[in-house]
Structures are given as structure tokens and as C-alpha cells.
Amino acid sequence: TNLHLTKQYSCFVTCFFSQIPHEEAPSKKLRLSKPSKSAALHVDLCKASNSTDALQYLLQFARKPVEVESVEGVVRILLEHYYKETDNSVRLKIASLLGLLSKTQGFTPDCIVDDAINTLSNEKSHQVLAQLLDTLLVIGSQLPDTPTIRLRLIHVACKHLSDTYFGVRNKCLQLLGCLGTLETVVNRDGARDVQSIISDYFGDQDPRVRTAALKAMLQLHERGMKIHQVIYEQACRLLSDDYEQVRSAAVQMVWVLSLLYPESIVPIPSSNEEIRLVDDAFGKISHMVSDGSWMVRVQAAKTLGSMLQVSPHFLVQTLDKKLMSDLRRKRTAHERAKELFTSGEFSSGRKWADDAPKEKLDRNTVNLIASGACGAFVHGLEDEMFEVRIAAVEALCQLARSSPSFAEKCLDFLVDMFNDEIEEVRLQSIHVLREISTHITLREDQLDTVLAVLEDSSRDIREALHELLCYTNVSTKECIQLALLELLKNLNKYPTDRNSVWKCLKFLGSRHPTLVLPLVPELLSTHPYFDTPEPDMDDPAYIAVLVLVFNAAKSCPTMPALFSDHTFRHYAYLRDSLSHLVPPLRLPGRKQVFGLDSVDSGSGSASVESAQLFLQQSLHRVSTIQNLEAPEARELLNFTIRDLQRLGELQTELAGAADFCATFLRCQLLLMKALQEKLWNVAVPLCLKQNVTATAAAQQILEETYKLEFLYSGLESRQVATIHHVQHTHTHAGFFLPVLFLSELPHLQDSFMDRVCELLPRLTSCKPVEMVKILQSTLRQSGLLQLSLPEQIHRATATIIEPTGESDNPLRFTSGLVVALDIDATLEHVNDPQNTVKVQVLYPDGQSHVIHPKPGDFRKPGPHRHRLITQVYLSHTAWTEPSQVEVRLLLAYSSSSSSSSSRLGWSDGADGVIPPSEATVEGTIPFSKPVKVYIMPKPARR
Amino acid sequence: MPEIKVTPLGAGQDVGRSCILVSIGGKNIMLDCGMHMGYNDDRRFPDFSYITQNGRLTDFLDCVIISHFHLDHCGALPYMSEMVGYDGPIYMTHPTKAICPILLEDFRKITVDKKGETNFFTSQMIKDCMKKVVPLNLHQTVQVDDELELKAYYAGHVLGAAMVLIKVGSESVVYTGDYNMTPDRHLGAAWIDKCRPDILISESTYATTIRDSKRCRERDFLKKVHESIERGGKVLIPVFALGRAQELCILLETFWERMNLKAPIYFSTGLTEKANHYYKLFITWTNQKIRKTFVQRNMFEFKHIKAFDRSYADNPGPMVVFATPGMLHAGQSLQIFKKWAGNEKNMVIMPGYCVQGTIGHKILNGQRKLEMEGRSTLDVKLQVEYMSFSAHADAKGIMQLIRMAEPRNMLLVHGEALKMEFLKGKIEQEFNIDCYMPANGETITVSTNPSVPVDISLNLLKREMALGGPLPDPKKPRTMHGTLIMKENSMKLVSSEQALKELGLNEHQLRFTCRVQLQDPHSDLDTLHRIYTHLKSLLKGYTIQHVPDGTVMVESIVIKVSSSAEDPNNKVLLLSWSYQDEDLGSFLSSLLKKGLPSGLC
């Protein structure tokens, strides 16, 4: 900032001197010290000969920030000039500057409140008045805890509410909304409270003022004031306003009131009946779903989703649309489908008079104007704008989640949306159906419609659908058969869906063991008398069938009796090669081939508990390490690390925690080694020679700690602090090398190591030898830290699905040009993958490239899960032989997780450069297994 | 009272030959000029002799508006303009202007070349007629003349279909043409603002129908086609060249794209190709999806749909063919049908209504043996499906439009009388407005209450604002003083001083004088003083002066006292006030008549 000031001042000086013809003036500017900002402004303004000039000066002035101390002075100068100024636009600019200035950080604007209010009294221009009120709004919101000022401002607002210019009234209402509370204000109509004053303007002639009044009321609500119920009726009236902004705000207002007074009773006009307010509001907002403006429709549809208190029969009405044809009652296609299904002649095809109207309707009972909630969602889902359709789908989801019976009802409609013309809507409705699928069992005809989408060419849609099928309940074995058939068709058409399809069948099988059981002979094509040929084990379709069967068999002990011999062999093979898809089975009369099985096949939760116990015990054992001699301690650590690693492999639930502990202990081990080897207990000159090994050790330890910090999610702050502690300790280990001292100082920042921080001033000033001594003692004292077992720890992992690295055919391309390599990977437990996940390509000659995938390449198929589908471009000079490049994923981290350096400037001038936070260390951790890709750059043909 | 008159020449309690005459604010407008499909004689066209027995129509009509290109809305246009004679402007939207002549030419060919009719309009006449067309843009206000203005709104239904707001002064009429309130695969939904017309003239084809969601129908259609293709069957979809055909094409095209299907889709050539070309051009008139994806790809540039050749029908393997005409009564669609009817793997999907007597109607009713020309019979083994894709608003849609536009009166056309009757009842009940359903030739008169705009001088307005409350309350009328000047068809309200100045008149003072007898046993001067104190105590907030020359002034009202010669106690008060102070003056006189209270000093 200082730089700017000098610059600006020098500008001013140049201006100033350029009027007096003085040759050496510019050379002087460098020697001038920092001037007062206000003085400069004053001179500028006085110099301005006309209003255009003054405006120019002010505009220039506004580009630079003003430091806190001089704000008040500047305000005074501006105010002084304000009274003198005759031109409206200059006064307007001054007024807006006052507002900006009062926003300066660290400045309390209470000293200028009086002056600001005084300016209002003589102002004639409405625009300037509005701007001044805006300034007051800023001041008021800076001083929320000063009741006297607040009250004064409210009085000012009430006084100017009767202005003829809409902008002034808008600002007054805004002021009331931001500052008003429950107190009453005395104005010329007598004592009124803020809410009723605001509600007077619901009937203003200007739609902008009506909107502002509604917004002010909503603002009051947001600030925690209880809105009176009387407002409800007025707000409802505004729902039929001519202007869309008003209607949109009114929808919000009605919604807010329905949340506040859901149970109060309101009368239905033109009848004697009464209903609950929330039902009434629901009906009215439903009506807005067929509004003329799509913005209002979106708003209304969204709002409906959050009105969970509405009565069930109103809710059901939203999906109701009485069909008629030529005054005869007609059943909807949904009803017909259901009927056909229950009568057992599903999919007979439609006939010419299939949908012929049935009984004659009494013409008086036909209600054409949907009163209340009638068919709101039917309209919303058919809307022209996809924004409305999406909002409606989302609202359906929210409502269905809280009401199982409604979920059942809206199923047909959601399934219909699978056929929408916009992919986003299709995808959204699939997701929604997944979310509510716990409530539902799909009928066969519904499943049929759902499965039809499996042929969609969009990968996202198919995978969303697989995900949906994982959670779906079906009712009959025909459904299972149908689903399997369609999934196999999908597999055949899109072989890349292999993994997803298999996973889907895994869940389908384990969810419906009893439905799969009668299908087993057919699925495995076994025959009671004849041996059937053994199917091909490499056929993805056969694997898919097996996955379904084996998962069903897990909770159906009678099923293995139906297997033929080769099925058992295939089981053993698949259990080994696709262990995540094939569960351990207790097979009769067979030896348990794998030791693992005995551990796992016990009841799941018990084994988890015992494993957890084991983990605890190991950690406890380690905690006693302090009492042991060095070699024993090291040995113990080594063993524990080994145990933990094995445990992680065995018990997937605890893998994260076990891995975490193991890595932590490894750090400790390294540290211990470093201490014992006494790398540092040498004289300073020698130390420099030693530094290679020492640096390497320190570096290794640091890397491990970064892994700890960034690779695991679900750490509590205490654990993070522990990690930091280790980091610090290591940094200290690096201390004895003055070179390292500078580069790794940042890690001292943490408050955890208060002790070291206290030492810091001494450290920086003293000689290296002393430093080593001091550090030595601190390190010895700090010793080993006890790590408590974290509750929920997950290791960030990544699996590259594609490329598989199995291909023997090299990817050929002309050298110097690029070739695109498709990468498909799943990431688990990665926070913010868009910024942290990178792709690294390692060429055989040691070259490496890091590629940042586009944010759009990441999809989020489930919680804590991401999917990266991207293309990386490879290029290289010519090779003579095909060779392998390695592709892997990196997790980038930076040690300072938050760089919250707030800007000092208050103006729009964005030239305040944020100093790069010196404390960050950027780095990457590889977190996926590398995949080798065979490539062959050929020389270009001439 | 000003009136709006509406007379349907066609489409009054009927579907076909839409032609409605509207007289509004002294202007005569013809809405649509269609032909009737059901007749081949004079009844085919509207009876223009209703307008004038002989001579040209130009003198009687200010403009003609065509809502969309369907022949029942524009079929009689060349006949009216060229054969009867009309030279005024014809308004239609750009797509309508582009597609209309193609259909008219086709219509002419069939009537003249095939049926051999004479005395029909010629190609040249169509061209001449189209020269009189003035194109309209959506939401653009077009001035027909100084008073008559038009504004078009989107109507869905077919490409380029529009609803038109006709406005003269503050009187207005909206004519919907045909419209659709639910969007489909290629067009959006009709939309209108809250224009509050005096009359809303709406079609009512589906007055007694509430339709099911479009999605179910679409899904069924796609499923049928898909299943048949997977079985290796051929699918025939008989369509009319324009409108639904494009919708179904888009539907199939996107489905093919989505599902990665490979079976060929063919479109029988001819008319349709030209029409598809216009669909490509007028992308802005289609729905959100097509408009949005237009940047990457024009949806009407079909990837999967190719032109059909007669020989393709014998190709092996699955295929889908769109062929004209829609009712299987002649032409290509019938030829293909004959070829494919024998195989049960094949399928025919009828996407619309079929007139009795056509093969379409027969097979829809389940007839499995058809008699062909030459006494041969045709066994129908293929599957017959029916899918209704109609683009008219249903009863709910009509109600929705009424709610959007908030008309003062409603008028139904383009529908059957019985059905209209039902809807009329509903409208009157729900909206509490009058609803009419005139038959052809019957005139409906609606009296309007137009507001007369008056200019008010700013000074006067400001003066009035300063007098009364700070904000004008829109709900309460307020009286004000001013002079209304009517000059050259315009009216303005100005202050009286300005009116005098403008008209060059001298101001005349009008003073009222009144004597009030008063019994008061004091001297004249004392009496005057007593009056002064009396008024002073009563009239707070008024300036009351006791002028030394023996008068009391209340504002500008002068009060003098004299005693009568006979009885000195009998005082005569002389009150004089100007016309402007009439209120205060009469108040004072009645006050003083009551006498002075005794307690005054």
C-alpha cells in the first residue's frame, strides 16, 4: 500500500507542479515522504474548476485504497466538498465514496453517522438521496450493536419512505430490513412497528418497491425476527402480481410464513372450510408452478421440495391429473400400466381403443382450474424449460425422502423422466430415484422402463443407472432375469462397462438371494443328468452371471448344492482374481483353500471388533517404547509396522486406520534412527560433510509426514497436530544444517510446539553450535508421541481402470505429434480432487510430465467417491523399439492449507498484490499404482 | 359506448376454414383465411360476400392476419386476395410466410391437376398474394396505421404459429389461432403476457379433454419402434408432410443417437425436404433443447434419417420409414403398407386420427382382411399401433392461457358446439367472465369501457401533489381542480391560468356577496372586533386579519359591518368572496348567521 501512496502522491505532485512551469519538479518526487491522503484529495478537489474535473478526480481517487488512519480525515474533506458542490453527479459520487470508505477494515464509522444523516436533510436530488441512504445502510451494517445509531437510522428511513422516487423508497425499505427489529417507530401515522410499516409498501404502485418491501421482510426473517402472521394474506395477494420479481419474492415470503406458522388455521375463501396454513401455502405455491415466468416456476418448484410439513393428501394431489376425453373419465397411462400388470397381461401392446374413455363424467364435478396443489408436479415435470424440470425432480426427491407413500407414488413420474430430452435431467432423475429407492420396490413394467435406459450411449447415464440398480429392490424372479438380461446386453454393447456391470450384479445378487435361487440351474445351465460343457472363464458375461450367483449364495446356504464341479473351480479362481466382487463362501465338503476365508467368513462385525482390539493393543504396546532400550524399541516398531500392514490388508474396514498408524510409526522409527546415529553430534565443520545423508534422512521423514497429513481424510485436529509435531521434530533434526534451517523454517509456525517457538528468537540469533545444542535438548525432551487411535480414517486411494497395461500392442504414433491416451480411474476419499489430483507420465528416459485434468473430467458417482475420465496427451521423439511409459496419479498438497491474506484495499482497484505466502511447501504424493503403457513413437515419414 | 364486434365466417362452432372478422375501434380485421377439408364445393371457402356483395374487399378491411400455415387457416388466402380482391397488408410470421406458399401450391396441384377443377387460383396468384405479406416478429409491435397495432406471441402448435394481440387505443383483442400449452420435442409452449384484452378469441378443439403426460406416449412410441427393430421388423409411420412429422423425426433421431442404434430411418421425399429446410432455418422458433444444441449441431440436420427411395422398401433387415399421406388412403405410404402387411414382424404406427373409409381407419378398428382394387384381398398380419400426438391445447391448457392473459371476455371458436358449451360453462364459473361461442355468420358485440387518456400538465400535477398527501394512493380517486382543454383530437388538463393563456381569454372575477343580519348591541367597530376574535378562535390555521380600514379578512374573504339606519343594534354584515373560495365563504356565512356567542369581549 505504501508504494501506491507514494506513487499516487507523486502523481499529484506532478500534476501540481506541472501547473507551475518548473523544470526539476519531477526529479524531486522520489524524495518526498508519505503525505496525508486527505490533503492530497483536498487540493485536488479545490483545484477542480468544474464538476467534470471534480468527478474525474474522485474517480481516480476511488481506485486506490485508503489506510485506516486517514479515513476519517478523507471523510471530512469529502463532506466539506459535498456541501459546496452543486452538481448532482459529483455529490452522488461523494455519497458512494462515503459508503466505500466506511467499509474500510478496522474503521468504525460511528463518528461519521451524524454528518451522513445531516447531509440528507438538504438534499434535493432523489438519486443522491438514494445513494446517501445506501451509505447509511453500509454504516448501519458496520455497526450492528449500537442501538442508538440503529434507531436513528430507522427513523431516517421511515421519514424518507414517502419519497416520490422509487430508488429512495427501495433504499429505505432495505435499511428497515437490515436494521429493523421488533421495536415500534413513531411517524406521522402514529406508532407502528417496523413490520407493518414495511408491509404498507406491499401495495406500492412501483413493482420495484413492492419487491424491495418483500425482500426487506425476508431480510428481517433472516435476521431472526419473527414475522407476524398477518403478513400471510398480503403476501398471498402478491402471488398474482403482474411483475415476476414481485411474484418470485412473494413465493419466498409465503414459504417463510408456512415454516413459521405451519399449524395455524386459515379460511378457504368462498367456503366455510378452514385448512392448515402450510397446506394452504403449499397449494398456492403449487399453483405458481404453472406461472407465466419460468424464473417464478423454478422458484416455486424448488420451494415445494422444502415444505415437508404438508399433509399427505395434499402431497398426493401434486401428482394428480384427472384425465378425460370428450367428457369421459380416462385413465392415465400409469394407471393402465398398473392395471395391466395386476391383471397379468403386461405388455400386450396398445390397441386402438385401449385408452378408450370409460364412464361419463358429471360435468359439474370436473375441475379444470387446478385448485390447490392439483397436478403441480405433473406440470413441473412437463415444463418447457429444463431448469424447471430439474427443480421439480429435486423437489420430488426431497418430498419423497420424507414420505415413503409419496415415494411410491412419484415413482412412475420419475421413471418417465428417464426419457427426457436433456441428459442433465435424465441423470438427475436417475440419481433421485437412487436416493429414494430404499422406500420402493420396482414393479416389473417399471423395471422394464428403467432398464431400457441401459442402452443409452452416455456413459454417465449408464453408470448412474448401474448405481441405481445396486440399490433397487425388485419383487419377482422375472425381474432379476430381466435385469440380468439387459445388463448382459449392455455389457455386450459397451464392453467398457464391465466393472460397473459386475458391481451392479454383485449387489443385485446379495440383495435378492431367494429370487436368484430358482434361477440358478438356468443361469449356470446345469442339467440333472447330463454334464454341460464348461463355459469360457474369460467371458465377461459368464463372470457377470457368476458374480450374481455367488453373491446370492452368500446368504443362501442351499445354493452351492446346485453348482457343478467347474463352478467350484471357477469360484476359487474368481475369489482370487476378483476378490472385491466375489464374497467368501462356506462351501460344503471342501477344504478352505484360503486362510483368509476363515477369518472373514465368521460374522462380519465380530471380526471387525477383534481387529480393532488388535489395533488398539498394538498401539498400546508401542506407547511403552519410551521405557525400552533403543535396539528393542526399534525391533518392536518394526514388528508393529509389519502387523499393522497385514491387518490393513485383511480387514478392509480398518485399512485406513491401520495404514495410517503404520506410516506414523515408520516416521517415528526414522526419527529414532536419526537420533541414534547421532548424525548431528559432530562439530559444525564436519556437519557440512554429513549433510548429504542428513538431508536425505530429513527429507524422507518429511515426505512421510506429508503423506500422513494429506493422504488420509477424517483426521481430527488433534491428530493433525500430532503429525505436525513429528514434522517439527524433523525440521529440527534438519536444523543443525543452516541450509536446511531456512528452507524448513515454516513448519515452526504451528502453535503446537510452543516451546520451540519460544526458543526461536534465540535460535535465529545464536551460532550454529549453540543451536545444535539447544535443539538437541528439545528433541530429547520431546521424545516419542503417543498416537491415539483415530475413529474414522480413510486413506485416499486411486485405481486406474484404464489403461489396463495388459496390451501387447504398442500405441503407435508419429514422433513429435501427440497421441491421446484415455484414462479412467476411480478415486476414493479425496477431498477437492479438481485441485489436487494430477496425472503423471514417466517416460523411459526419465522425463516426466504432470498433467492437470480439467475440472469437468471429474464426476461424483457416490459419497467419498470420484471418477476421473480424462485424456492425456503423450508425445516423444522417435524410438526404435516400443517401450513402456508409466502413468500414475498424484495427490498434490501444499503445506499451508489456508492462505487467507485479506486484502487491504477497499476500492475496486485490484492492484494490491497478495504476497505469496512464504510458508507453503508444494509437493505431490503418488497414490495410485503406476500403470505401464506400451507406446511406439515412429519417425515421421518424409 | 364503444363496441367490439366479432363475426366468424368460418370456424364458428366448427373446425375448418377459420376466418373471423373483428371490428375494433373503427378498424376491420380479418383473422385467418382458411379452407374446409370436408367440402369440395363453395362451402370450401369462407363466404366473403358477407363483407361486400360486389367489389373489392380492400375498402372494408384494414388488415388480414394469418396465425399459422395450416391450410384450414390460410387455404383461402389467394382466393380472397386475388380472385375476390384485396390489396391491403397480410400479416404473418416469417416461418409461416416461408412455408405457406409451398402448402398452397401443393393444395392447388391436387385440386387442379389431380381433380381437374377449373376456376381455381393459379400459381401466379399465390405468388402475387405472397407479395402482399408483411412479416411479423415475435413480441414486435407493428403499427398497421396510426391507431391499429399488432403484436405476435409464440403459440407452439407448428413452426411459426403465433397468437396475435390486436390493439386500438386501449381496446384490444387477442386471437390465439391454434396453440399448444405443453412443449413437445421440437416446439416450446405457448406464452402470453398479462395483456388483459377485452376479448380473447381462443380455439377449443380439445375443450372436453384433459390429456395425459406426453412422456408416456413418447416412451410407448419409442419402445414400440425399438422392439420391432430389435426383432428385425420394418416400421411404417404414415405422416402428413409438416408438423407432426418433424416432431417424430426429432424424437426418433435423438433416440437413435442416445441408444446408438444402427437401423436406417427413411423419409419419403418431396414436400418434406423443402419443409425440413425451413425448420433448419427457423431454429429460433423451436424449443429450448434444439435452440441450445444448435451451436454444436442443427437438430434438423438429421444424421440417421435419410431420403427414401422406392427400391429401399424391399431391402432386407430392419428399417423405419416415414411416408405420406397420413391416413394410408393413397400414395407412397399405401404402397409400402401393401408390401409389408403380410409379415407379422413388421409394424405400422398411426400417429394421428384417420377419417372413416380410409385404410388407416379400417386397420385401426381391427380389420385384418382388406379389399383392394381389383377384387384382391390383403391379409394384414403386421402389428397396428396407434399413437396420438396432437398439438392443440387441452381444456386445462385453455384455462391456463386464460389465467395468463386475464381477458375481460372470452370467445370460443374452432371446436364443436357441444364441447364448447361445456368449456363455456366452466370458464364462466371459474373466472366469472362472459364467454361467447358464435356460430358462423353470427355477430357478437361486446361493449368496452375504454379509458380516455388525458395529458396533464406537470405543474398542475406537482401543485396537486404538494397539496395532498405525499404519495398518490392508487386505490383512491382524488378530485382536483383544473381546466380540460380539448383540442385537435387530444385532451389535456391544465391549470386555469394556463388555460386562459393558451386560449387567449381574459380572466373574469366572479365574486359572491352576501348580507347577514346580526343583532349586536355594540358599535360597528366593536362588532367587527368581536367577529374577529370569534373567527380567530374558531378557524385555526387560517390567516385572519383585522385591517385598520374597518374590514376583517379571512384569507381573501372580506367581512364588513354596517348598522342599519333604523335599528343600530341590527347590524348588517357584508361578506364577499371570490368563486375560488366558495367553500370557505359559504361556511363563514352560515357560521355568522348563527350569530355571535355572548361570551365574547
Side-chain angles (χ1 to χ4, degrees), chain B residues 471-509:
Chain B
L471 276 181
D473 188 344
K475 285 165 202 133
K476 283 182 201 150
R478 228 164 79 181
T479 48
M480 61 187 292
H481 290 279
T483 312
L484 188 70
I485 305 179
M486 290 173 74
K487 212 186 205 175
E488 294 155 2
N489 262 340
S490 73
M491 285 188 269
K492 55 182 178 178
L493 191 65
V494 295
S495 61
S496 41
E497 299 91 60
Q498 199 187 336
L500 288 171
K501 217 166 99 189
E502 266 186 41
L503 301 174
L505 297 175
N506 289 326
E507 191 178 358
H508 293 274
Q509 285 282 341

Side-chain angles (χ1 to χ4, degrees), chain A residues 242 287 290 292 321 324 326-327 333 350 352 366 381-382 386-387 416 419 448 456-457 493, chain B residues 185 188 191 196 208-213 215 219-220 223 258-259 288-289 364-365 385 403 426:
Chain A
D242 281 10
H287 210 55
S290 48
K321 192 178 177 187
M324 60 174 189
D326 208 0
L327 275 180
R350 187 185 279 192
W352 156 236
V366 180
L381 294 175
E382 270 185 53
F386 85 94
E387 290 90 342
D416 277 352
N419 205 16
D448 194 43
D456 203 298
S457 60
K493 199 164 174 183
Chain B
R185 287 287 169 153
W191 182 86
R196 299 194 172 93
T208 55
T209 301
I210 302 174
R211 261 177 313 176
D212 197 357
S213 141
R215 283 175 205 291
R219 202 186 57 214
D220 274 6
K223 206 171 141 195
R258 256 181 71 195
M259 297 303 185
Q288 191 192 18
K289 158 91 177 171
L364 278 177
N365 280 314
E385 297 289 344
R403 201 157 72 89
K426 284 289 160 196

Side-chain angles (χ1 to χ4, degrees), chain A residues 158-159 161-162 185-192 201, chain B residues 469-471:
Chain A
C158 288
K159 209 175 104 200
L161 261 179
S162 49
V185 181
V186 182
N187 64 355
R188 64 196 159 78
D189 304 335
R192 312 274 310 273
Y201 287 81
Chain B
L471 276 181

